[in-house]
Amino acid sequence: MHATAIKRWKIWHHGRAFVMIGALALLISGSLFQLQAQQAKAAGAGYWHTSGAQILDANNQPVKIAGINWFGFETSNYVAHGLWSRGYKDMLDQISSLGYNTIRLPYSNQLFDAGSTPNGIDYSKNADLQGLSGIQIMDKIINYAGQKGLRIILDRHRPDSGAQSALWYTSAYPESRWISDWKMLAQRYKGNPTVIGADLHNEPHAPACWGCGDPNTDWQQAAQRAGNAILGVNPDWLIFVEGVDCYGTNGAANGDCYWWGGNLEGVAQKPVQLNVANRLVYSAHDYPASVFNQTWFSDPNYPNNLAGIWDKHWGYIAKQNIAPVWLGEFGTKLATTSDQQWLSTLTNYLGKGVNGFNWTFWCWNPDSGDTGGILNDDWNTVNQTKQAYLTPIEFALNGTNPPPPTPTPTQPGTTPTPTPTNPTPTPTPTGPTPTPTPVNPTPTPTPVPGVSLKVNYQVGDPGGATNSEIRPQIQVINTGQQAVNLSDVTIRYWYTIDGNQSQTYTSDYAQIGSSNVKGKFVPVSGRTNADYYLEVSFTSGAGSLAAGANSGDIQNRFNKNDWSNYNENNDYSYNGSQTSFSPSTKITAYYRGQLVWGTEP
């Protein structure tokens, strides 16, 4: 071959080779890009486990819980709230669109009892829920949440639908039932990684203790028993363990007090030990001054002192790489400067990205009396001011970024623009007649550190329900670990007046002195079987109730001034068969205005 031709052939041959090598490089690069994209998209795949302070998915990629609480299954509606206004799929679509990746779903053990019939559902908007039991509706919500890429944490919020319990058991729902229900749920959702784990019991508080050694009150030991029982059925679940309220250096429920379920100081000396490694996540709750005015809110250094408070009670666990920490509840109406400062400081503390703390905001529902929700009162529109605090710390599981925050959160020290609220619309009956909208302004008693009360009741006139007088007799019991001034306590007895007459209250007898007992009548609207309540309060002369003490009998009587009859048959708080003192969750107790016992109608 001629030298010039050979040279041209070499140039052509080498050029072809370069093109082929370049194409191969592009193919490899594209494959790597696709692989990386698939990995990013698959973030959160399968069941999750822990490593140090992080939660990892099935591919060992770090993930972060960044979600919302949606309550209702723990109440006497036996279903997630708001289905009287909207379809559950519509709700889940909106939750997903806002960038949340997880829902904490509270329930009560009573949900699984025969006769716990779901109510407060507009079936014209939820046709596929017609005729289902509470747990079958839970199945529906979980299945659709999985289709949307959302994860579920089941939260045993309370034993029965009436009220929160300090301990993980009651006489009606013993520890054996608590554990057996958890095992049932672990088996039911086994193989379905939409459900990532179990929040064992909501907000343990005094007499619950951490590591004190008493099997009846030691929450750390009870959490181990339940956690190991669950993992024996479903070893893939995460086990979420909340703290207590008060912790002393000797491990007993005294000393330093914090929010119910929020104090995890005891983990440093006595961590929870589970039989399956890398399944434990500790959980705390935290709230602002509007829920309860803790001492640290009046510190001259507020809000700069908050990080130290959080480090001490729960943050240290993640910062020392002991285990992941999940802030399972925090919420506010943002109505005060203090609350704005608290939420701004807390979201900064929780942090952005995968290295931040895990969290679920309280709550989705607007009918949380202390905090309101992400939804406005119309159950449709979003409180954008709240949402703007949370969007920057969200974590997408599908490789996409959450929507940009709008508007910018109100800066601490400024007054937020009020969010317009609309009354909850009554469902339009286009199919089966919907159940009237339940009004449940405070479904969960507010956590008040170190304070726990119970009200015993007996009917004072057991002869019949049609009388010219109503005679509720009560006892107030301090079930906490510190003395409580009775002047800080009020009791509400809910009833129907059956007319519009003026009324008179009399304290017939009180062990603490009738002169120290006062009563007033308060009209209400939108309640089930109640258009009035009698509020019983106490003067400073009533003194205080020591830990474990009973006020003794307080015999109340009231009548209409024209002495016409009441019909007590439909009164919320009335129980004509309760002729000896026993707890009544339909008579509510308040400490400094915050609900601590019972359920409002």
Side-chain angles (χ1 to χ4, degrees), residues 55 65 153 196-200 238-242 281 283 326:
I55 298 176
I65 298 166
I153 298 170
I196 57 173
D199 186 350
L200 297 179
L238 295 174
I239 303 299
F240 298 92
V241 179
E242 298 186 29
V281 179
S283 176
W326 167 51

Side-chain angles (χ1 to χ4, degrees), residues 180-191:
S180 66
D181 281 349
W182 267 129
K183 291 170 68 176
M184 176 272 292
L185 291 168
Q187 182 63 50
R188 188 179 188 92
Y189 299 116
K190 188 174 183 179

Side-chain angles (χ1 to χ4, degrees), residues 221-251:
Q221 295 295 318
Q224 290 182 170
R225 291 193 296 272
N228 286 327
I230 291 168
L231 293 172
V233 174
N234 187 344
D236 293 316
W237 266 13
L238 295 174
I239 303 299
F240 298 92
V241 179
E242 298 186 29
V244 290
D245 57 343
C246 301
Y247 182 75
T249 55
N250 64 352

Side-chain angles (χ1 to χ4, degrees), residues 28-88:
I28 293 170
S29 175
S31 298
L32 287 173
F33 177 80
Q34 288 177 349
L35 178 61
Q36 290 170 347
Q38 288 173 353
Q39 288 176 336
K41 187 175 182 180
Y47 280 110
W48 297 356
H49 60 283
T50 71
S51 176
Q54 284 195 316
I55 298 176
L56 308 178
D57 68 8
N59 296 322
N60 289 319
Q61 296 184 88
V63 292
K64 183 175 82 171
I65 298 166
I68 195 86
N69 287 266
W70 184 13
F71 69 76
F73 278 107
E74 83 283 15
T75 73
S76 57
N77 295 116
Y78 305 114
V79 70
H81 278 185
L83 302 190
W84 51 77
S85 290
R86 296 175 65 183
Y88 73 94

Side-chain angles (χ1 to χ4, degrees), residues 313-455:
H313 291 102
W314 47 271
Y316 77 93
I317 296 172
K319 291 186 175 182
Q320 295 179 18
N321 209 38
I322 296 169
V325 173
W326 167 51
L327 191 62
E329 286 186 21
F330 64 105
T332 168
K333 289 183 176 178
L334 284 180
T336 66
T337 298
S338 176
D339 276 29
Q340 296 157 33
Q341 293 172 323
W342 168 83
L343 185 58
S344 177
T345 307
L346 180 56
T347 51
N348 286 333
Y349 181 86
L350 293 175
K352 300 178 181 179
V354 75
N355 293 318
F357 286 93
N358 302 278
W359 55 269
T360 45
F361 187 72
W362 185 272
C363 53
W364 181 244
N365 311 45
D367 59 338
S368 176
D370 299 307
T371 64
I374 287 296
L375 290 183
N376 292 320
D377 288 348
D378 61 4
W379 279 97
N380 283 277
T381 58
V382 173
N383 184 318
Q384 294 290 354
T385 305
K386 287 187 186 182
Q387 181 63 36
Y389 283 91
L390 302 174
T391 298
I393 63 170
E394 288 179 337
F395 181 86
L397 297 177
N398 60 3
T400 63
N401 294 320
T406 178
T408 303
T410 304
Q411 295 300 313
T414 64
T415 303
T417 303
T419 302
T421 58
N422 299 311
T424 303
T426 303
T428 303
T430 57
T433 303
T435 304
T437 302
V439 179
N440 223 345
T442 310
T444 304
T446 302
V448 180
V451 175
S452 183
L453 300 174
K454 178 172 71 174
V455 178

